[in-house]
Amino acid sequence: MADILNLALPYFGLIFIGFACGKAKGLPESGLAWMNFFLLYVSLPALLFGIMSKTPFAELNNPPFLIATTLGTMSAFVLAMVVGRVVGELSLRKATIAGLSGAYGNIGYMGPGLALAVLGAKAAAPTALIFCCDSIFLFSIVPLLIELTNREHPSLLHAFGVVARQIALNPLIMSACAGALAAALHLQFPVAIDKTLLFLQNAAAPTALFVLGVTVALRPFNYVPWEVPGVIAIKLLLHPLVVFGLMLLLGPFPQPWAATAVLMASLPPALNVFVIARQNETWVEPASVAVLIGTFASVVTLTSVMWFIQSGRLMFP
């Protein structure tokens, strides 16, 4: 357990440092704009490109694994939407963001660094694949449902066009696809470029976790809507359990791959949930509460999953 805490606490420690700084200093939230831009358009794309480009392309071709992990994310999304509709009596637009909170973990900010720290280099390929598939699914279904509830748009075809454009221009998806292409072509980059990418990759996790803590600290915390605890329970408990079952049902998969899938499913709701909620001006405060409570609760749940993996108690045939 001491080894697990040594792995997990630096990640949560950076979040708490950011949270404490956000509470202690009265700086405006607008000050995070360039940091968020750096993360979304520079550092995280460099991290994903590096992971994908250094992974043998043959390892990326694993349809059963892609189906299993995406089904797990889809299941969590639908369950969280149902909770939002039934418990919170939310509209379809708000329930869509609730579904995102229950399915979209912190796979960009925490996922790669944590998976590589717990499982080593063998976790690189499944981590990249999970990120790509989850992002493509969620960045497809969420904008589509949002667009369908927006009466200002003229047609269903227009809604599909908006969604397709958002997917094609997403910097994280673009960088992952570029990395896969580089792996397929066996491209070798000059030392200077490799070192630049390494600098950017190393900056991704600490910057992202600090920004997450600051952003959560700056959000108001007035009350907890009824549907939020259910959504958090789906993300932190049911999502990893569903993925665990799918790994057994659709496998066998190599132990590092299956364990990576469960670990990634155990991550707390991503900060992007709040960002997307604010962009669409719907379910904004509950989304910030879900990210806040989910992050704090994951100190127990995520650390427990890491302990099960590291101690050999989470084994796959």
Side-chain angles (χ1 to χ4, degrees):
M1 180 56 74
D3 292 338
I4 297 301
L5 291 176
N6 287 334
L7 285 174
L9 288 182
Y11 288 85
F12 290 112
L14 281 170
I15 295 174
F16 295 145
I17 289 171
F19 185 84
C21 291
K23 288 295 186 183
K25 302 295 290 183
L27 299 177
E29 189 176 355
S30 59
L32 295 174
W34 275 111
M35 293 184 74
N36 284 319
F37 181 89
F38 171 76
L39 284 170
L40 182 60
Y41 289 94
V42 182
S43 187
L44 286 174
L47 177 62
L48 289 171
F49 177 84
I51 291 174
M52 294 291 282
S53 64
K54 289 179 171 56
T55 302
F57 187 75
E59 293 185 19
L60 301 176
N61 185 22
N62 195 331
F65 183 79
L66 301 181
I67 293 171
T69 55
T70 305
L71 277 177
T73 301
M74 291 173 62
S75 301
F77 179 79
V78 172
L79 288 171
M81 277 194 69
V82 170
V83 167
R85 294 282 282 176
V86 174
V87 177
E89 298 181 350
L90 303 179
S91 64
L92 176 60
R93 187 181 182 89
K94 292 181 178 179
T96 298
I97 304 300
L100 187 66
S101 301
Y104 189 32
N106 215 325
I107 53 178
Y109 289 4
M110 296 179 70
L114 199 58
L116 293 173
V118 174
L119 292 159
K122 292 182 179 180
T127 298
L129 290 175
I130 291 169
F131 180 88
C132 288
C133 291
D134 279 12
S135 298
I136 290 172
F137 166 67
L138 292 169
F139 292 155
S140 301
I141 192 66
V142 170
L144 179 60
L145 292 175
I146 293 293
E147 290 296 323
L148 291 177
T149 62
N150 190 347
R151 296 182 180 180
E152 296 179 1
H153 291 108
S155 67
L156 181 63
L157 182 61
H158 183 273
F160 278 111
V162 171
V163 172
R165 186 166 59 253
Q166 289 181 356
I167 294 173
L169 298 179
N170 185 287
L172 301 178
I173 295 176
M174 291 173 63
S175 63
C177 292
L181 180 62
L185 298 176
H186 304 286
L187 295 180
Q188 298 293 326
F189 298 99
V191 174
I193 293 179
D194 269 341
K195 287 187 175 181
T196 302
L197 289 173
L198 183 61
F199 283 148
L200 295 173
Q201 292 164 25
N202 291 339
T207 305
L209 297 174
F210 180 82
V211 169
L212 172 60
V214 173
T215 304
V216 169
L218 296 178
R219 303 310 308 160
F221 187 81
N222 299 321
Y223 71 101
V224 180
W226 289 106
E227 68 274 10
V228 168
V231 168
I232 294 172
I234 289 170
K235 182 69 207 74
L236 298 181
L237 300 176
L238 288 184
H239 191 186
L241 287 174
V242 169
V243 171
F244 176 79
L246 289 169
M247 290 294 106
L248 295 176
L249 182 64
L250 300 180
F253 299 107
Q255 172 68 19
W257 284 61
T260 299
V262 175
L263 180 64
M264 296 286 278
S266 305
L267 294 169
L271 177 61
N272 285 345
V273 172
F274 164 71
V275 174
I276 294 172
R278 186 168 57 180
Q279 286 176 344
N280 293 283
E281 299 180 350
T282 184
W283 212 64
V284 178
E285 299 308 328
S288 68
V289 172
V291 173
L292 173 62
I293 297 178
T295 299
F296 281 100
S298 69
V299 174
V300 176
T301 58
L302 180 58
T303 304
S304 299
V305 172
M306 293 169 63
W307 178 76
F308 276 109
I309 293 173
Q310 285 285 79
S311 63
R313 287 171 170 79
L314 187 66
M315 298 296 294
F316 296 88

